Amino acid sequence: MNIKHKYKINFITAILVLSGNVAAQNPIEACQTTPSSMTSNIQSWNDIAANGKSIIEQIDELASNVNGILKIEADLKKMDGDLKNSKKVFDMFIPVVTPVSSVKNVFKLASNTLGTIRSNGVSPAKDTATKIATESGIRELQRQLDENVKPQIQETIRIAEQNAAELTEKLSLLETTCSVIAAASCAVNQPLDEISNATKPAPSVVNSATTAQNEYLNLGQQLNSSLKKANNTLAFTDDFSKQIKDIQGPLKDITGGVNKLGGIMEQKIKIKAGPFNESFKLKTAFKEAGKIVKKLKKIPGVKQAEKIVNEPIEAVMNEVTKPIEKSLKPLTKGLKLPSVDFNALNIGSVPNFDPNGLPNPADITSPLQPLLTACAP
């Protein structure tokens, strides 16, 4: 700024402070009516920018939530299949291991637990995740928001912030000019009544622009509110993912144990009591357990024949039953199904947020030009 000009402005400001509220005495109508209209207009631009930033945050959060739902759906589909297959294997082996009650009890418990967690938790949760991901339309909406709306809102924020800054400068210039004219501190380049008449439309033009901006703002606020509701409805994804992880580990251990069963059944065990000393494949030992017990009971001095037969079988089966028993405990908690308000996921049609339809600051300040340039040399 020119130093002379700076001192001149400071001198004018001092005069204005001493003279009191000179604006009220200003003969130019626009000086008394337009500043408040422009202040509202600037606030509208700032509101548009702030709401736009909130929309961007909500769009990004929705993308995160949708990705979370897709992962949950994939995890639950796999888990549902694993539970189904593992239960089927246990059910298949229960008749085989029935002669040894300790093993049979573990297999029955495993079958019941896996069946319950699948039917009461995993399957309905999977169906809910699929319903959210596909039937609710939220996935397609999120794609449209990310690809189409987000760039428009980002451009709107840039324009709104730029316009607010530009109009703030114009408002400052307007207030300064009005004060200078009111204090008779400049030689105006045309009669004051002509300036007043020429600038009379200014408040109406500014107010019309503000109305258009606020209509755009209202659409943005409605979208923002809908996105917040949708994100609140999907806020369960983080906690539910943790529940799934808590189940995935134990289920993986159980599945690993199930996969060992085929090989373990081929292992040999030795049953020895008195003169009885024979080796059996484990699957044969299960099958022949009853007959072996009867033979042992006929041998004089042999006691607890069932225990003698069961112990070597249990010793080998412990490789499977012990880890399974341990892994079943955390599974008894199951999955706590989320409550989903599908109505909140229905955003409806998304308006066109093309910022090119917003008012131009040049059009807003155009009626004020005679006043803004009244003191120009």
Side-chain angles (χ1 to χ4, degrees):
M1 178 186 287
N2 184 288
I3 294 183
K4 267 187 182 180
H5 183 62
K6 179 179 178 183
Y7 285 135
K8 181 178 179 183
I9 294 296
N10 287 339
F11 176 68
I12 291 169
T13 302
I15 291 175
L16 295 178
V17 171
L18 292 173
S19 61
N21 185 9
V22 293
Q25 304 168 8
N26 202 307
I28 299 176
E29 185 178 331
C31 284
Q32 300 178 45
T33 57
T34 307
S36 61
S37 296
M38 286 192 67
T39 298
S40 297
N41 186 267
I42 292 166
Q43 184 59 52
S44 178
W45 286 118
N46 287 329
D47 290 342
I48 288 172
N51 188 66
K53 291 175 182 177
S54 182
I55 290 175
I56 296 296
E57 290 176 1
Q58 294 302 320
I59 289 175
D60 290 343
E61 185 177 345
L62 186 64
S64 176
N65 283 330
V66 169
N67 287 335
I69 283 293
L70 295 177
K71 186 175 187 311
I72 285 172
E73 182 187 27
D75 287 343
L76 289 175
K77 280 183 177 179
K78 182 179 184 305
M79 186 178 289
D80 193 52
D82 289 343
L83 286 167
K84 182 180 179 181
N85 292 334
S86 295
K87 184 181 186 309
K88 189 183 293 184
V89 173
F90 281 121
D91 289 344
M92 181 179 69
F93 274 98
I94 285 173
V96 176
V97 302
T98 292
V100 181
S101 60
S102 60
V103 178
K104 178 193 70 176
N105 291 339
V106 172
F107 277 38
K108 274 195 168 182
L109 176 62
S111 175
N112 292 337
T113 302
L114 298 184
T116 299
I117 194 174
R118 180 172 180 251
S119 61
N120 293 350
V122 174
S123 288
K126 171 180 65 74
D127 293 342
T128 297
T130 300
K131 188 175 180 182
I132 294 171
T134 56
E135 296 176 26
S136 72
I138 198 71
R139 184 179 180 184
E140 176 59 21
L141 172 68
Q142 182 271 318
R143 185 190 65 78
Q144 291 180 11
L145 288 170
D146 209 51
E147 293 180 4
N148 302 325
V149 176
K150 188 174 179 179
Q152 288 183 332
I153 297 295
Q154 287 172 328
E155 178 63 9
T156 295
I157 294 169
R158 184 192 69 77
I159 290 173
E161 290 180 338
Q162 177 179 298
N163 290 353
E166 180 180 337
L167 288 169
T168 297
E169 289 182 4
K170 294 291 185 182
L171 175 59
S172 178
L173 176 59
L174 171 66
E175 290 174 332
T176 299
T177 302
C178 286
S179 297
V180 169
I181 290 174
S185 299
C186 81
V188 291
N189 51 26
Q190 67 182 108
L192 294 182
D193 59 342
E194 290 183 12
I195 295 175
S196 185
N197 289 333
T199 55
K200 269 184 181 180
S204 177
V205 171
V206 176
N207 290 336
S208 295
T210 304
T211 298
Q213 291 163 211
N214 286 342
E215 288 175 358
Y216 185 98
L217 174 62
N218 288 338
L219 292 176
Q221 288 174 330
Q222 290 170 19
L223 175 62
N224 197 33
S225 177
S226 296
L227 287 174
K228 285 181 178 179
K229 287 179 182 177
N231 280 320
N232 287 338
T233 297
L234 298 177
F236 70 87
T237 53
D238 285 344
D239 288 340
F240 199 68
S241 293
K242 290 175 184 175
Q243 284 192 62
I244 291 174
K245 285 181 181 178
D246 289 342
I247 290 176
Q248 282 175 326
L251 182 57
K252 184 179 179 182
D253 293 338
I254 290 173
T255 303
V258 168
N259 292 337
K260 291 180 181 179
L261 280 174
I264 287 177
M265 286 297 174
E266 297 298 320
Q267 289 188 31
K268 282 191 174 183
I269 63 166
K270 183 177 285 188
I271 298 176
K272 183 177 181 181
F276 188 92
N277 187 0
E278 295 186 28
S279 294
F280 304 87
K281 280 187 176 181
L282 195 57
K283 63 182 179 182
T284 305
F286 275 118
K287 187 177 180 180
E288 301 292 331
K291 293 178 181 179
I292 299 171
V293 168
K294 286 181 180 180
K295 286 182 182 181
L296 295 182
K297 283 182 176 181
K298 293 178 180 179
I299 300 174
V302 173
K303 298 179 179 180
Q304 296 182 312
E306 289 88 354
K307 184 177 180 182
I308 292 171
V309 174
N310 289 353
E311 279 186 346
I313 295 176
E314 290 172 342
V316 176
M317 287 298 295
N318 278 343
E319 184 180 345
V320 172
T321 56
K322 293 300 181 186
I324 287 176
E325 282 183 301
K326 183 180 178 181
S327 300
L328 285 174
K329 290 179 181 177
L331 294 184
T332 55
K333 295 186 299 182
L335 277 177
K336 185 178 179 182
L337 292 176
S339 177
V340 179
D341 179 6
F342 283 91
N343 290 329
L345 299 180
N346 184 12
I347 305 297
S349 59
V350 178
N352 182 4
F353 288 101
D354 185 357
N356 291 325
L358 287 168
N360 189 318
D363 296 333
I364 295 174
T365 58
S366 178
L368 291 170
Q369 286 306 113
L371 178 55
L372 295 176
T373 58
C375 291

